[in-house]
Amino acid sequence: DMNMKINKDIKSYIRDLTSLVWDYVRYRASFPANTVLAVQRELAYNIFEIPENCRGCDFYAPNLLVTRNAKGADVPNRKMIRTIANRYY
């Protein structure tokens, strides 16, 4: 999903980042090993990418964004997503 959506508010940012983390959880095997969450500060735009491909971005380790639910399945870490969102809004 490479369409550059710029998030207008914190709610859309959280929704967008949560959906991106779900994609990462589902398709983790298809990402390079050194993939990170890259956030372009001015745009508050998120992408899972290798660091070399994103200049001037803030980087977050993907494992910070993923947690386990009661059944032991990987799910987005909503608390961390909210923490990151608060840095940009």
Side-chain angles (χ1 to χ4, degrees), residues 6-78:
I6 309 311
N7 293 289
K8 295 164 291 311
D9 56 50
I10 192 164
K11 268 165 87 167
S12 74
Y13 182 88
I14 289 171
R15 197 168 47 241
D16 189 51
L17 182 50
T18 302
S19 147
L20 192 68
V21 174
W22 270 120
D23 285 348
Y24 177 78
V25 166
R26 288 187 190 105
Y27 307 110
R28 191 173 324 190
S30 64
F31 288 93
N34 59 337
T35 293
V36 294
L37 174 71
V39 181
Q40 288 189 302
R41 283 179 227 103
E42 310 75 49
L43 305 175
Y45 175 74
N46 309 299
I47 188 167
F48 277 99
E49 187 53 272
I50 57 170
E52 299 78 51
N53 289 349
C54 193
R55 302 214 181 292
C57 287
D58 296 335
F59 299 119
Y60 300 92
N63 60 347
L64 292 176
L65 293 144
V66 178
T67 189
R68 291 190 187 266
N69 67 13
K71 295 185 179 128
D74 285 350
V75 294
N77 181 341
R78 294 184 188 279

